[in-house]
Amino acid sequence: MSTTADLHIHNPVEDVLRKERIPTIWCPGCGIGTTVNSFAAALLGQDIDLKKTAIVSGIGCSGRVSGYMALDSFHTTHGRAIPFATGLKLANPELNVIVYSGDGDLTSIGGNHLIHAARRNMDIMVVCVNNMIYAMTGGQAAATTPGNSITTTSPFGSFEPEICLPQLVDAAGAVFVARWTAYHVKQLERTMAKALKKKGFRFIEVLTPCPTLYQRRNNMGDGLAAMVDYKNRSKIRNGAPTYEVALEPGGEIVVGEFVDREREDYLTRMRRQLGTNYSELPPQPEEEEQEGCCSSC
Amino acid sequence: MMHADPNCVLTGTHFMNGDAACCEGAIAAGARFAAGYPITPSTEVVERFAARVPKIGGIFIQMEDELAASITLQGMVWAGAKSFTVTSGPGYSLMMEHIGFAAMTETPCVFVNVQRGGPSTGLPTLPAQGDMMQARFGSHGDYSTISLVPNSPQECFSLTVKAFNLAEKFRVPVMFMMDECVGHMTEKVVIPDAKEIEVTPRRHASKPPSEFLLFEPGEELVPEMAHAGEGYKVYVTGLTHDKRGYPLMNPASQKELIPRLFEKISRAADELTIVESEGLEDADVVVVSYGITSRVAQRAIEMARAKGLKVGKLRLICVWPFPEKLIRELAPKVKALVMPELNMGQVVIELERCAGGQCKVISVPHPGGTVHKPADILAAIERGAQ
Ligand SMILES: Cc1ncc(C[n+]2csc(CCOP(=O)(O)OP(=O)(O)O)c2C)c(N)n1
Ligand code: SF4
Ligand SMILES: [Mg+2]
């Protein structure tokens, strides 16, 4: 007779998950968990000190990822995961800091922080789960929503074109830029593993299905249908110029690692400019104040 | 209790403005990290900090806006640092969401607001005290925190140290409510020996990770803190959470968490009654004021005394929590409480509530841009004495 204990199968990635928090809040067919599986495998496949690894999310369905990882987990405010992560990194440069959040969070309300963290080349890795919708709030149009999509706030089809994230962060100065879909689990894992080892601002966009709030309203079927769609439409073009990777409704989905370059990150540059060992600079500032004046002047 | 680091404290007698003194106070208190965004009349604080801290192992980062600055500093705190931000007027409004985040996640930190005339862009270079209610209630939801108000460059130094110490003790965001006058006023500032400056250390986790709960109320209802990178796998969220820090969104967990955030402060009401008083014993009228206004009030009090009136002085150094008990005891003993403020009447609402109809409460409002005329406060004192 087998017992439940005998039946326990060790999930290869469970060591980096907060098992006690599972099941997740995510719907059947949702792509967020798929990306987490790749991420967890990437983390475990590296000689990364998990005790020195922090994960920061904003708010949204994707923003819940930080809370399922057995790392130092920070679930911050909507749009502000990147500046929080910046603070962690600056005050403890030993930390590996990963931001994991949604498209609305990172690129609309948090868009300014995305641009400036890339410009500074802050040494953090950003995973953007792009389900092309504000999911957690019930399916409103986002900056990433394909034009003419039906959403709760665009009942006649959205009137706006979607943003091209790889092009944006490339232009802002990210040193590593990639895009995959939830169909490309192995490629995503490899890219994440590579990005985890790189220094500087790294950005990975992952297209994921939101069957509940995006696909359904736009007659795009379920999570499985999304996988078939990703498989049929995607084309791997590593090194593709990011101005050629914009997503068109129904068009080709260009995936791959687009940018992988070297540029001095913020802290390295700061230390270089301050002199190699800035903590040994003289402790006292120049005294500009006059001394001994009375308090009534 | 620890003491300030002697390598970083500018011990001596200085002639400096309030903004500079605030910066020195932050450094003496142990802050080596800050995030900010420029805005008049507060920027001098971080300008000085940016020049000072590279030499003592710290970092100042100028962020892309106040939304960023007010959360970057909290990332710094959760990485183990003491950190703060500095702003004014519109910038303070933008920081509100993250003041609530700090209250909810019990992140010890300091928000310095050098108040200027408002609303909106208002009077960027001129004083006001119009953000006093915002300091108490500005973020959404219900929370309690501490607001200190200095009235001199000397206090900009010493009370900034205190602000950091209270932030650590209670694990709250402390509001340091300066104003343009105090910030730009240059006076004598005596910075004591480092060993005379007490610094409250972080309440760091005393248990190993396997036994530690990040939000278990400890001594004085305040939990201990572990940082990222220490092996505790901390879980920090702005959602209502349980003792582990895990989201738990129901009325019962809300009831367990939110009242405690209030109680950890309300139970320390005596310690947080920080006032300067004089002549209260036989006063007919007491002038209650804070910040720069207290210095004008001082003049009005002297003028009234010269006229033979019995006037007392009560200066609120800690405005929030409001010294409720003190006012309840004082009100039945006097004819009137007079409150001049550089706003249209904010803290006076609380004064009136605590006076409970036991005496007259006379507001002396002022829209800001400059300070009161002593004669206006004197007129209110005379009305109160009738
Ligand atoms: C300041 C603020 N504005 C709005 C919200 C409401 N809100 C919560 S999640 C969300 C959208 C999240 O979208 P996205 O980042 O794409 O995550 P998803 O749920 O799609 O994974 C919004 C608008 C909020 N929490 N805070
Ligand atoms: S609403 Fe969409 S994004 Fe959110 S969990 Fe469900 S499927 Fe995933
Ligand atoms: Mg989304």
Side-chain angles (χ1 to χ4, degrees):
Chain A
M1 281 267 292
S2 64
T3 64
T4 9
D6 295 335
L7 287 175
H8 180 79
I9 299 163
H10 183 82
N11 181 326
V13 298
E14 70 180 34
D15 293 345
V16 282
L17 300 178
R18 294 185 190 260
K19 278 175 288 180
E20 67 280 18
R21 294 213 66 234
I22 289 170
T24 68
I25 62 159
W26 299 317
C27 309
C30 176
I32 301 172
T34 315
T35 74
V36 171
N37 209 42
S38 298
F39 175 61
L43 269 180
L44 288 170
Q46 307 291 305
D47 56 340
I48 281 179
D49 185 353
L50 297 178
K51 283 188 177 160
K52 297 263 180 239
T53 304
I55 181 164
V56 186
S57 294
I59 305 294
C61 295
S62 316
R64 291 304 190 89
V65 169
S66 61
Y68 296 120
M69 304 305 300
L71 301 167
D72 286 314
S73 307
F74 296 95
H75 180 228
T76 62
T77 55
H78 190 28
R80 318 301 167 201
I82 288 178
F84 187 94
T86 297
L88 282 179
K89 184 72 197 180
L90 292 181
N92 184 355
E94 274 185 19
L95 293 173
N96 311 306
V97 182
I98 296 134
V99 167
Y100 212 119
S101 212
D103 50 322
D105 185 86
L106 289 167
T107 77
S108 288
I109 189 167
N112 201 25
H113 312 312
L114 180 67
I115 292 169
H116 290 285
R119 175 180 64 81
R120 291 183 184 110
N121 201 15
M122 197 51 69
D123 183 25
I124 57 179
M125 168 170 152
V126 177
V127 179
C128 175
V129 179
N130 183 0
N131 52 16
M132 305 183 172
I133 197 84
Y134 286 149
M136 177 147 274
T137 40
Q140 296 79 24
T144 42
T145 304
N148 209 14
S149 299
I150 306 294
T151 74
T152 58
T153 49
S154 60
F156 307 106
S158 62
F159 307 139
E160 302 177 19
E162 62 272 37
I163 195 169
C164 179
L165 295 176
Q167 193 181 2
L168 176 76
V169 293
D170 178 11
V175 292
F176 186 87
V177 182
R179 176 198 280 151
W180 293 106
T181 77
Y183 169 74
H184 300 92
V185 287
K186 271 291 153 195
Q187 292 93 330
L188 178 61
E189 179 191 325
R190 279 197 293 270
T191 291
M192 286 174 154
K194 191 168 169 185
L196 280 167
K197 285 286 172 187
K198 197 171 163 78
K199 203 173 177 66
F201 189 84
R202 297 144 280 162
F203 183 84
I204 303 171
E205 176 184 20
V206 196
L207 302 185
T208 60
C210 170
T212 312
L213 296 167
Y214 182 64
Q215 314 254 130
R216 189 168 53 89
R217 290 201 175 98
N218 289 282
N219 300 319
M220 292 164 74
D222 58 6
L224 186 60
M227 292 303 129
V228 173
D229 187 49
Y230 291 153
K231 176 171 182 286
N232 292 337
R233 285 169 58 204
S234 62
K235 181 152 188 220
I236 300 179
R237 282 181 62 200
N238 290 316
T242 55
Y243 55 81
E244 289 178 6
V245 307
L247 299 165
E248 302 287 343
E252 199 171 71
I253 302 173
V254 182
V255 293
E257 294 173 4
F258 306 137
V259 176
D260 188 355
R261 62 187 164 211
E262 300 305 319
R263 189 160 74 86
E264 204 174 30
D265 73 293
Y266 180 92
L267 281 169
T268 310
R269 177 175 178 155
M270 183 193 84
R271 291 198 187 104
R272 177 172 60 75
Q273 286 185 208
L274 289 172
T276 29
N277 199 344
Y278 65 111
S279 62
E280 284 173 15
L281 291 174
Q284 301 291 328
E286 309 93 66
E287 266 295 336
E288 341 93 32
E289 300 93 13
Q290 292 165 251
E291 303 238 334
C293 192
C294 72
S295 64
S296 56
C297 52
Chain B
M1 191 57 74
M2 285 164 46
H3 294 102
D5 178 349
N7 292 321
C8 307
V9 175
L10 288 189
T11 300
T13 303
H14 306 264
F15 187 53
M16 59 170 66
N17 72 20
D19 282 353
C22 171
C23 172
E24 290 305 327
I27 291 171
R32 298 289 176 273
F33 291 83
Y37 187 81
I39 188 162
T40 305
S42 69
T43 317
E44 293 91 331
V45 183
V46 292
E47 285 172 344
R48 187 179 176 104
F49 196 81
R52 283 278 271 127
V53 291
K55 296 159 190 164
I56 51 178
I59 294 178
F60 168 70
I61 185 164
Q62 182 175 313
M63 294 303 289
E64 49 276 9
D65 55 32
E66 289 87 349
L67 299 160
S70 55
I71 194 86
T72 299
L73 83 95
Q74 300 189 48
M76 291 166 165
V77 173
W78 281 98
K82 286 193 180 183
S83 181
F84 71 121
T85 190
V86 182
T87 192
S88 297
Y92 196 51
S93 291
L94 288 184
M95 291 183 176
M96 285 300 136
E97 184 182 5
H98 291 145
I99 289 172
F101 184 77
M104 189 60 145
T105 56
E106 301 183 68
T107 303
C109 55
V110 174
F111 286 77
V112 177
N113 177 3
V114 186
Q115 295 173 86
R116 65 189 223 181
S120 192
T121 312
L123 302 169
T125 61
L126 299 171
Q129 296 177 315
D131 308 343
M132 294 308 299
M133 278 298 181
Q134 191 182 23
R136 172 64 191 84
F137 292 110
S139 195
H140 59 278
D142 229 356
Y143 62 98
S144 183
T145 179
I146 298 170
S147 297
L148 302 182
V149 190
N151 80 346
S152 66
Q154 179 66 54
E155 273 193 354
C156 287
F157 175 81
S158 56
L159 280 185
T160 298
V161 177
K162 183 143 193 108
F164 276 92
N165 287 348
L166 292 174
E168 295 297 337
K169 175 160 188 190
F170 293 97
R171 277 190 64 183
V172 288
V174 172
M175 307 298 125
F176 195 62
M177 302 299 285
M178 296 165 56
D179 61 73
E180 186 277 334
C181 274
V182 164
H184 284 163
M185 171 191 292
T186 300
E187 283 186 347
K188 182 162 94 173
V189 174
V190 180
I191 298 184
D193 239 34
K195 57 181 185 306
E196 284 161 31
I197 302 173
E198 289 193 344
V199 168
T200 306
R202 183 135 307 159
R203 293 177 184 265
H204 193 265
S206 55
K207 292 178 183 165
S210 58
E211 294 161 34
F212 182 68
L213 293 173
L214 189 60
F215 289 93
E216 184 171 46
E219 238 179 276
E220 301 170 308
L221 295 180
V222 182
E224 292 176 344
M225 196 166 170
H227 303 124
E230 294 177 343
Y232 281 83
K233 293 180 187 161
V234 300
Y235 189 136
V236 177
T237 175
L239 289 167
T240 297
H241 43 268
D242 64 16
K243 293 189 172 88
R244 294 170 297 183
Y246 289 7
L248 187 61
M249 290 163 281
N250 60 44
S253 59
Q254 179 82 349
K255 198 172 165 201
E256 194 169 331
L257 176 59
I258 306 306
R260 178 176 64 75
L261 299 184
F262 276 77
E263 216 183 313
K264 66 180 179 178
I265 295 194
S266 61
R267 69 201 292 283
D270 289 342
E271 177 187 345
L272 293 172
T273 297
I274 308 172
V275 297
E276 180 191 315
S277 66
E278 185 227 313
L280 296 189
E281 308 70 35
D282 62 343
D284 287 329
V285 177
V286 172
V287 181
V288 187
S289 61
Y290 54 87
I292 187 63
T293 307
S294 66
R295 295 176 67 149
V296 187
Q298 181 70 35
R299 178 87 185 111
I301 291 166
E302 283 158 16
M303 285 155 75
R305 285 181 184 156
K307 289 188 165 195
L309 298 176
K310 285 194 209 152
V311 187
K313 164 173 114 179
L314 182 63
R315 174 164 76 96
L316 310 183
I317 295 170
C318 179
V319 170
W320 309 119
F322 192 75
E324 178 157 353
K325 195 168 140 216
L326 183 71
I327 300 298
R328 287 199 191 288
E329 286 166 7
L330 184 62
K333 297 182 195 152
V334 298
K335 287 187 188 163
L337 297 171
V338 170
M339 185 165 232
E341 306 175 79
L342 286 184
N343 56 52
M344 296 310 289
Q346 294 192 5
V347 181
V348 73
I349 299 170
E350 191 66 355
L351 184 70
E352 196 152 22
R353 181 182 75 79
C354 296
Q358 300 284 312
C359 68
K360 283 187 276 188
V361 174
I362 302 174
S363 171
V364 190
H366 190 302
T370 181
V371 293
H372 288 77
K373 288 199 177 72
D376 295 339
I377 302 173
L378 176 64
I381 295 172
E382 286 175 328
R383 253 194 301 145
Q386 276 161 23

